[in-house]
Amino acid sequence: MPELLLELLSEEIPARMQARAADDLKRLVGDGLKGAGLSYTNAQTYVTPRRLTLVVHGLPAKQADISEERRGPRADAPEQAKQGFMKSLPKDTKITERETEKGTFLFAQVEQAGGKTRLILPDIIQAALQALPWPKSMRWGTGKARWVRPLHSILAVYDQEGLELEFAGIQAGVTTRGHAFMAPAGISVSDFADYEKAMKAAKVVIDPDTRKQTIAADAARMCKGAGVTLKDDPALLDEVAGLVEWPVVLMGGIDAEFMDVPPEVLITSMRKHQKYFATEDAKGNLAAKFVLVANRETADGGRQVIAGNERVLRARLADAKFFWDQDRKTTLASKAPQLKDRVFHAKLGTLDEKVDRMQALAAALCDYVPKADRDKVRSAARLAKADLSTGMVGEFPDLQGVMGAYYARHDGESEAVAAAIAEHYSPLGPSDACPSKPESVCVALADKIDSLVGFWTIDEKPTGSKDPYALRRAALGVIRLIIENKLRLPLLDAFVQSRDLYGKGDAVGPDLLTFFADRLKVHLREQGVKHDHIDAVFALGGEDDLVRLLARVEALADFLGSDDGGNLLTAYRRAANILKIEEKKDATSYAAQPDDTLLTDDAERALYSALEDASPAIVEKVAAEDFTGAMAALAGLRAPVDAFFDKVTVNTDDAKVRENRLKLLSMIRTALEGVADFSKIEG
């Protein structure tokens, strides 16, 4: 069946926009084809720094013919309505009047031949190109069309012939061009197979995955030959593959004079500014070799390209070495007072004031972090932000914390203090390692809690998708620090201590704890924990110990996954529903102790006895945080509860017996809600 091939050749498309643009183009054209009633076998997109390509296989030659009857307005409807109906029909459509059960109506028998796909495609493609949502776009020349960068040409071929198509003042044709430097001449193509073959011959690899595989394989082979290994960096590989159409992997060297600069500085300088891959020696240390990817082959095998890149890198590393040497001429502690000139937030004071609060809060948190050395925690918190005043961090902001640790070690601070300085920003995301050293945990918690409480006190909370101060990430960081280190930290107390250090603002505890509950659901959802189980425990109120909360949630999930748990949940809902209806009808509560002298049936006596035994056991085990034991005690109620509902009529004619049985139901509800709020359980 016919095939559509579309290629848009432009100036350089930023690497970060390429994959999204390819997906959007396929989606928009696919939606247009679907709307026109044109089915197809499959569609595929390809993207390079200069071209966006779409191929759609298995398109029909024309739309399906239409043969259908359409009912119009009543025969006696106003003339305007009848004219409107007629105008909606194809020319020469036959219209008749027909009696129906609801009166006489106009009917039209529409016979419409399907349009040719070739004639329909231009409108679909133009609409898709106009609607393509680039994150940033531009206009050029005198035209009004927008594209990410100025367009050079459009290739549009359907069924091996060009389409009549124009966009951005460019008339589509059947030609394109190859690599900008190695094959810039025009190339005519008739279909995708021809296009793919021509592109390869013209030094263009259109598939980004193929370019990534080529870069990775060639780099690994080159590193092996040089006795080093490539430092794994998938994000950089993605970006570099989006910068070249014909990847040529080369290797350069780093001058020995720069190898005493911290490896993080060298890697950041190479990665961020030059897009070079770092390499490691056999011991895992940074090697004096780097891998770069050129976009063209050269007659000298890349020697001039390597030399040019080494020259550029040398200049950048010279700057880094200068900052490294200068920063170490004075101590890290001597740079801390400069934080008085740095504003943390206009309403929350300077960074120096934040450091004061962090120091006090981190020291207080030592009570909840086993083996934390309070003096070292104070020192680390005092120095945590000092590297913001160094030249290196001014040049490489991504290295804040990391450089502070290097300078602290240089000044003779202990390894625990240096590590806490380096790690206090962590964890920065789901894939970032969570600090586990006691001093690091204290300072990291203090930094994040101080920010959260501070912004809550000035009512600068995240709203919708807006979170300019990364408070959601800070809360998730606190959650990970607590859970992964199994800290018995009462969050509400920590919030109060932090707020007291600010010395202003209203209490923020309950609202901030609710924010944490939402973040906890997000965190645990990725681990398969159901959000309603967390709601069921949080609904009990007053729970701010995340470790205890998770233990209860885990025990609840296990219990509900068992037959006993499932049946008791059903019984709970039945009891709760009956109580809800009867308490509303009687305008009273039946949350009171039943009178055992009014128990008339063996089943209700057995249930009463079981509840009398289980209730104190449940309370005792919950108090001892033996949630599995509490769930086991609940499970023991299943048989008497089932028997009660099978054999006993609650709403009996005897008013006193009825009231007593409702109190018995209330006992069931109370017993289960001692463990969790089962009304929050879904399903």
Side-chain angles (χ1 to χ4, degrees), residues 278-564:
T279 63
E280 296 175 337
D281 61 19
K283 295 180 179 178
N285 299 318
L286 184 70
K289 298 286 184 183
F290 66 88
V291 171
L292 67 128
V293 181
N295 189 32
R296 60 188 297 186
E297 296 169 349
T298 57
D300 64 354
R303 282 194 293 277
Q304 288 191 31
V305 175
I306 294 170
N309 280 275
E310 286 178 337
R311 190 162 53 249
V312 172
L313 180 62
R314 194 176 301 120
R316 290 201 174 277
L317 295 186
D319 289 344
K321 182 173 173 51
F322 171 78
F323 290 127
W324 171 241
D325 292 338
Q326 287 296 115
D327 288 341
R328 289 180 296 162
K329 288 181 179 177
T330 55
T331 64
L332 184 63
S334 70
K335 298 177 178 69
Q338 298 175 41
L339 296 177
K340 293 177 181 176
D341 300 325
R342 291 176 175 269
V343 176
F344 170 51
H345 186 278
K347 297 179 181 177
L348 298 176
T350 66
L351 273 176
D352 184 61
E353 291 170 317
K354 178 178 174 65
V355 167
D356 284 344
R357 294 191 300 269
M358 281 175 57
Q359 198 174 20
L361 183 59
L365 292 175
C366 289
D367 290 342
Y368 307 102
V369 182
K371 299 182 181 178
D373 185 307
R374 200 177 299 269
D375 290 339
K376 290 178 180 176
V377 167
R378 284 199 183 96
S379 297
R382 184 71 251 167
L383 296 172
K385 306 291 184 186
D387 65 353
L388 295 175
S389 302
T390 64
M392 185 71 87
V393 173
E395 181 71 9
F396 301 101
D398 293 348
L399 295 178
Q400 55 187 293
V402 173
M403 295 314 302
Y406 275 105
Y407 296 137
R409 291 189 188 100
H410 177 265
D411 296 343
E413 298 287 349
S414 70
E415 181 55 33
V417 171
I421 294 170
E423 296 176 342
H424 84 278
Y425 292 108
S426 297
L428 292 170
S431 59
D432 192 26
C434 183
S436 58
K437 298 181 182 68
E439 291 77 14
S440 300
V441 171
C442 289
V443 181
L445 281 171
D447 185 24
K448 294 169 179 59
I449 291 174
D450 175 80
S451 294
L452 285 160
V453 170
F455 284 107
W456 242 252
T457 60
I458 60 173
D459 200 24
E460 292 274 358
K461 307 169 190 173
T463 56
S465 60
K466 295 181 180 177
D467 186 11
Y469 306 111
L471 298 180
R472 291 190 179 97
R473 188 174 72 185
L476 282 169
V478 173
I479 289 169
R480 282 191 61 191
L481 284 162
I482 291 174
I483 294 175
E484 294 184 24
N485 291 293
K486 295 182 171 53
L487 302 181
R488 305 305 303 271
L489 172 64
L491 276 172
L492 287 171
D493 288 351
F495 297 160
V496 170
Q497 290 185 65
S498 178
R499 196 210 67 84
D500 289 346
L501 289 168
Y502 275 98
K504 61 182 180 181
D506 298 328
V508 298
D511 188 39
L512 185 52
L513 193 61
T514 301
F515 180 74
F516 266 79
D518 291 339
R519 303 278 72 72
L520 185 64
K521 290 177 199 172
V522 173
H523 177 71
L524 294 180
R525 185 170 57 208
E526 296 169 358
Q527 300 176 19
V529 179
K530 294 182 177 179
H531 68 89
D532 56 335
H533 293 183
I534 301 171
D535 284 339
V537 177
F538 256 116
L540 296 177
E543 182 57 273
D544 65 344
D545 182 330
L546 298 185
V547 172
R548 187 170 57 209
L549 180 145
L550 287 183
R552 190 179 286 215
V553 168
E554 185 177 349
L556 178 64
D558 290 343
F559 176 64
L560 292 174
S562 68
D563 286 343
D564 289 341

